[in-house]
Amino acid sequence: MSKVADTVGKLVTPILDELNLELVDIEYVKEGRDWFLRVFIDKENGIDIEECGLVSEKLSDKLDEADPIPYNYFLEVSSPGAERPLKNDKDFEKAVGKNVFIKTYEPIDGDKTFEGILTKFNGQTVTVEITIKTRKKSIDIPYEKVANARLAVVFS
């Protein structure tokens, strides 16, 4: 995590704890000439716009006090969306039984991308059941080889 994201994480965590919300991710990125600070939050049954607005107001006040960012930026507080990133053990555990998309640092069985049902996670290995034509196959992916992962929406 960048220094800014780490600092913002420390500022936003007490706000989210107070509201029983979860921090999913923080991005601090430059797009064109503009800087964006994006804070992704969630809770068990999803969040609504009012909760995002409340967190944005409270966090904005904390950011004004601490002033950890040297540039002008846009603050965005939102849901991670339907294709929520899987960032840690807890995220993977909650995603068991759901459709996921995983990219690895190096090929496993000749592939670096996998989409299918996350069937098992034990902290060391991520097991994904993929479908090749009409055949189902389980792939064991070493957890340390996961470059990034997210939930995947399936359209049928």
Side-chain angles (χ1 to χ4, degrees), residues 4-151:
V4 168
D6 190 43
T7 300
V8 172
K10 291 175 184 167
L11 293 173
V12 77
T13 297
I15 296 167
L16 299 177
D17 288 347
E18 173 189 324
L19 300 171
N20 294 315
L21 299 173
E22 169 190 359
L23 177 62
V24 174
D25 199 9
I26 297 173
E27 291 180 349
Y28 180 59
V29 295
K30 187 173 185 182
E31 294 178 3
R33 293 182 293 161
D34 297 318
W35 285 91
F36 290 86
L37 175 60
R38 295 186 177 112
V39 179
F40 299 96
I41 60 175
D42 208 359
K43 68 178 181 187
E44 188 67 34
N45 294 318
I47 60 167
D48 59 36
I49 191 97
E50 287 82 17
E51 289 166 314
C52 291
L54 182 59
V55 170
S56 180
E57 287 176 29
K58 289 180 177 241
L59 178 57
S60 184
D61 290 344
K62 293 284 187 192
L63 288 167
D64 288 345
E65 287 173 23
D67 199 22
I69 302 172
Y71 307 103
N72 290 332
Y73 60 92
F74 294 96
L75 173 63
E76 298 176 355
V77 177
S78 68
S79 160
E83 293 192 334
R84 172 191 173 129
L86 306 177
K87 295 284 198 174
N88 54 44
D89 291 6
K90 182 179 164 189
D91 291 343
F92 278 89
E93 289 164 3
K94 287 171 39 177
V96 170
K98 297 179 180 171
N99 204 59
V100 297
F101 179 82
I102 297 175
K103 284 187 181 180
T104 57
Y105 290 112
E106 57 189 57
I108 297 170
D109 291 345
D111 289 314
K112 289 179 73 174
T113 60
F114 305 90
E115 185 169 343
I117 303 296
L118 177 60
T119 58
K120 188 169 49 171
F121 174 72
N122 65 12
Q124 305 292 315
T125 305
V126 179
T127 303
V128 179
E129 183 179 87
I130 63 171
T131 303
I132 302 169
K133 296 186 181 180
T134 58
R135 188 175 57 90
K136 293 190 185 296
K137 177 181 178 182
S138 282
I139 304 286
D140 289 329
I141 302 168
Y143 188 40
E144 72 272 1
K145 297 202 182 203
V146 174
N148 60 54
R150 62 174 167 75
L151 295 178

